[in-house]
Amino acid sequence: MNLEETVATLDSLGDDAVIHAERPWRAESRAVVLEPDTSDGEEDLDHFLEVEAAREVVVAWSGHRGGRLPNRTQVFQAVVHYAEWDSYIEDR
């Protein structure tokens, strides 16, 4: 699965799961979702973000935009921005 597809499935992932992905973090980057303390042979992938944190990014995105819901591309951009910069993406 690629990173964009993985981020699009946040609602179906376990709360404690962690997303790992190949750098640079682009839509087509390979990604896996692992439970905490599991490497499962994915040493070539970097820690991307905890699922719970990614969900919080989506809630914050919506809150900063008057409750508007983001589309798939906006979710992906917001989550990658947070993973890279540890800050929420600004309203554009």
Side-chain angles (χ1 to χ4, degrees), residues 18-90:
V18 178
I19 301 170
H20 294 260
E22 160 185 74
R23 284 187 185 258
W25 292 331
R26 297 185 180 131
E28 67 277 2
S29 298
R30 188 169 68 91
V32 297
V33 179
L34 301 173
E35 292 302 316
D37 302 322
T38 304
S39 64
D40 203 25
E42 302 296 339
E43 292 84 15
D44 58 327
L45 300 179
D46 290 322
H47 177 275
F48 176 70
L49 202 59
E50 296 81 8
V51 168
E52 185 175 10
R55 288 182 185 145
E56 290 172 6
V57 169
V58 177
V59 170
W61 187 100
S62 184
H64 291 149
R65 289 158 182 83
R68 192 174 85 212
L69 297 177
N71 63 35
R72 179 177 168 148
T73 300
Q74 292 166 326
V75 168
F76 179 74
Q77 291 171 341
V79 171
V80 169
H81 181 88
Y82 187 86
E84 290 178 338
W85 300 102
D86 195 27
S87 67
Y88 299 118
I89 197 168
E90 294 181 20

